[in-house]
């Protein structure tokens, strides 16, 4: 599966449980919190230039350890790490930097383990209550995650200093463990979410192609299981359950659906970055897909995104080309116009929860 390049979005969150979202947000917040008033000697020791941003958390931990103070207590007192101020910030003129709690509500509602999952958000009172719950959940859990990262970095730095017989813990050592605890996991999460922005669109298109494949050899399958498949999400757990139900009914599953299941497993394989994906609702209909990508502000008209989606469609479909006689999936799944706007494609597609056979 290929990763997006030019259109990569550092704040994208396509799928994952609420805990995974909290981790992503805390890592993103820590990475944006930098300090410029760092001594030249500290920069030189860590191999940083005067232009490099220095992580505020690494500086805070290093200063605390140098002065024999508790890094966790110092972090809680430091106003620059008060995440609630970041969330509650509101600029009525320039609203681009205002935190979008409605987005947090939408992400939380897709996680079956959160109290928001069962709330009726079309009722104003419930919607307001959901906003309060989501905001409190996010702030409290991000603060806890930041303290956990602070503890992890401080402990790892102390242990390495002891192994190296350092009398004073160097900033280079602290920065090394900061990068391991914050920078690298954040880069991994960003890549995972951007990969998902491509693979989910590709799998949705392949599923639509499968639903509109009326080959004679598939008629019995569609008559018995077509509607159920149309209503099954691309979550690997749900696809696995559907396949088991078909087998239990004594019917064979088309190879194309088995390959779609394998593609889903591959896309969601990085469970440490996504959390428990089995408890997350993945969009089923084209309307739901459109709402998801609009929420995450994905530019569906991007030619590079289009090309990556089409390329991945082909990768998924090629698995079954030799197994499906009389069907040329290369022709059926790949558009002759690879730069066609995916937004218009989503609008044109029939709602995947609709057909029953």
């Amino acid at each position: 599966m290929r990763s997006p390049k030019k259109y990569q979005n550092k704040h994208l969150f396509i799928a994952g449980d609420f805990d995974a979202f909290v981790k992503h947000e805390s890592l993103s917040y820590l990475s944006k919190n930098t300090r410029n008033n760092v001594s030249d000697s500290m920069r030189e020791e860590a191999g940083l230039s005067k232009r490099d941003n220095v992580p505020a958390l690494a500086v805070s931990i290093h200063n605390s350890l140098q002065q024999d103070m508790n890094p966790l207590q110092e972090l809680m007192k430091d106003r620059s790490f008060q995440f609630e101020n970041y969330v509650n910030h509101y600029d009525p003129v320039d609203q681009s930097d205002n935190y979008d709690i409605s987005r947090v509500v939408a992400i939380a509602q897709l996680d079956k383990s959160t109290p928001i999952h069962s709330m009726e958000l079309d009722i104003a009172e419930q919607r307001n209550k959901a906003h309060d719950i989501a905001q409190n959940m996010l702030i409290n859990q991000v603060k806890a995650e930041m303290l956990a990262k602070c503890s992890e970095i401080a402990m790892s730095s102390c242990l390495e200093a002891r192994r190296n017989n350092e009398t004073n813990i160097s900033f280079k050592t602290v920065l090394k463990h900061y990068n391991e605890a914050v920078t690298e996991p954040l880069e991994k999460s960003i890549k995972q979410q951007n990969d998902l922005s491509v693979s989910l669109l590709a799998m949705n298109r392949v599923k639509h192609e499968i639903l509109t494949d009326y080959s004679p050899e598939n008629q019995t399958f569609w008559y018995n299981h077509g509607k159920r498949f149309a209503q099954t999400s691309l979550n690997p757990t749900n696809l696995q359950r559907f396949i088991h139900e078909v087998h239990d009914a004594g019917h064979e599953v088309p190879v194309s659906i088995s390959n779609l299941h394998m593609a889903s497993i591959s896309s969601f394989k990085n469970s440490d970055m996504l959390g428990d994906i089995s408890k997350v609702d993945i969009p089923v209909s084209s309307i739901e897909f459109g709402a998801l990508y609009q929420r995450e502000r994905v530019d569906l008209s991007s030619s590079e995104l289009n090309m990556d989606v089409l390329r991945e469609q082909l990768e998924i479909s090629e698995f079954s080309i030799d197994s499906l006689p009389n069907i040329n999936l290369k022709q059926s799944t790949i558009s002759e116009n690879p730069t066609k706007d995916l937004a218009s494609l989503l609008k044109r597609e029939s709602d995947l929860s609709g057909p029953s056979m």
Side-chain angles (χ1 to χ4, degrees):
M1 303 296 177
R2 293 170 175 81
S3 175
K5 296 180 180 66
K6 294 179 183 178
Y7 55 87
Q8 189 174 77
N9 184 340
K10 294 182 179 180
H11 307 292
L12 195 67
F13 194 83
I14 291 293
D17 66 14
F18 193 74
D19 288 343
F21 173 67
V22 166
K23 291 178 181 177
H24 186 93
E25 286 296 281
S26 62
L27 293 173
S28 178
Y29 177 68
L30 289 173
S31 71
K32 289 187 290 188
N33 201 339
T34 60
R35 289 182 183 167
N36 295 320
N37 57 337
V38 179
S39 66
D40 291 343
S41 60
M42 285 179 63
R43 288 180 177 275
E44 184 177 351
E45 177 190 345
L48 300 174
S49 70
K50 291 185 178 181
R51 295 181 180 179
D52 291 329
N53 291 324
V54 182
L57 181 60
V59 175
S60 176
I61 293 173
H62 178 257
N63 291 342
S64 298
L65 294 176
Q66 287 285 332
Q67 300 171 40
D68 291 327
M69 297 191 308
N70 187 330
L72 298 181
Q73 292 180 352
E74 296 305 306
L75 181 68
M76 288 187 287
K77 291 188 296 184
D78 194 333
R79 292 181 59 85
S80 64
F81 290 101
Q82 292 180 358
F83 184 69
E84 58 268 32
N85 293 339
Y86 173 67
V87 172
N88 292 325
H89 168 78
Y90 181 77
D91 187 338
V93 179
D94 182 11
Q95 299 190 20
S96 60
D97 289 334
N98 294 341
Y99 200 88
D100 187 2
I101 292 297
S102 296
R103 175 174 175 258
V104 181
V105 171
I107 292 170
Q109 193 183 33
L110 295 176
D111 186 333
K112 299 172 186 175
S113 67
T114 69
I116 298 175
H117 179 72
S118 58
M119 297 179 72
E120 298 290 340
L121 299 185
D122 55 342
I123 302 174
E125 183 180 354
Q126 289 278 293
R127 186 165 59 250
N128 293 335
K129 184 178 179 181
H131 274 240
D132 292 339
I133 293 174
Q135 184 165 322
N136 290 332
M137 285 172 53
L138 179 68
I139 290 173
N140 292 334
Q141 292 184 37
V142 166
K143 288 168 69 175
E145 185 68 21
M146 286 195 297
L147 288 172
K149 287 295 179 184
C150 180
S151 178
E152 176 187 345
I153 296 165
M155 184 66 70
S156 298
S157 300
C158 289
L159 289 174
E160 180 166 337
R162 182 178 299 176
R163 287 195 304 267
N164 296 337
N165 296 319
E166 293 182 13
T167 54
N168 290 314
I169 298 176
S170 67
F171 181 62
K172 181 179 181 180
T173 297
V174 175
L175 185 60
K176 169 191 171 185
H177 292 288
Y178 169 89
N179 287 331
E180 291 175 352
V182 176
T183 306
E184 292 172 11
L186 178 60
E187 290 174 352
K188 191 176 180 182
S189 183
I190 290 171
K191 181 181 184 302
Q192 176 79 19
Q193 293 299 328
N194 278 272
D195 283 351
L196 278 174
S197 71
V198 173
S199 58
L200 269 183
L201 281 174
M203 288 188 292
N204 184 49
R205 291 288 293 161
V206 170
K207 182 180 179 182
H208 178 73
E209 291 292 334
I210 295 172
L211 283 168
T212 53
D213 169 22
Y214 304 119
S215 303
E217 60 269 23
N218 291 330
Q219 288 301 308
T220 300
F221 174 84
W222 291 128
Y223 179 82
N224 291 285
H225 308 287
K227 184 175 182 179
R228 177 77 178 86
F229 176 65
Q231 297 171 341
T232 299
S233 80
L234 296 169
N235 187 312
T237 302
N238 292 348
L239 286 171
Q240 181 67 53
R241 187 182 300 116
F242 169 77
I243 290 172
H244 281 162
E245 289 175 358
V246 174
H247 286 158
D248 290 343
H251 298 132
E252 289 294 321
V253 175
V255 175
S256 54
I257 294 178
S258 296
N259 290 332
L260 184 63
H261 179 224
M262 287 189 290
S264 177
I265 292 173
S266 175
S267 296
F268 291 105
K269 64 184 176 182
N270 201 344
S271 58
D272 60 327
M273 290 288 105
L274 301 175
D276 185 359
I277 202 68
S278 66
K279 65 182 184 182
V280 177
D281 289 334
I282 304 297
V284 175
S285 69
S286 55
I287 293 175
E288 292 170 343
F289 266 91
L292 168 63
Y293 283 78
Q294 183 178 20
R295 183 196 82 195
E296 294 302 310
R297 300 178 182 180
V298 176
D299 181 10
L300 293 174
S301 65
S302 164
S303 59
E304 188 178 2
L305 173 63
N306 274 263
M307 289 301 296
D308 278 351
V309 170
L310 293 170
R311 191 181 296 114
E312 197 150 319
Q313 283 178 237
L314 179 57
E315 289 179 2
I316 298 170
S317 302
E318 277 185 330
F319 289 130
S320 57
I321 286 176
D322 295 334
S323 306
L324 295 177
N326 303 321
I327 303 174
N328 189 336
L329 286 178
K330 282 185 178 179
Q331 292 179 359
S332 63
T333 58
I334 304 304
S335 168
E336 293 180 356
N337 183 2
T339 60
K340 183 177 289 185
D341 188 344
L342 275 176
S344 65
L345 291 176
L346 283 171
K347 290 179 182 177
R348 288 173 55 194
E349 287 181 2
S350 60
D351 190 311
L352 289 179
S353 63
S356 60
M357 300 183 191

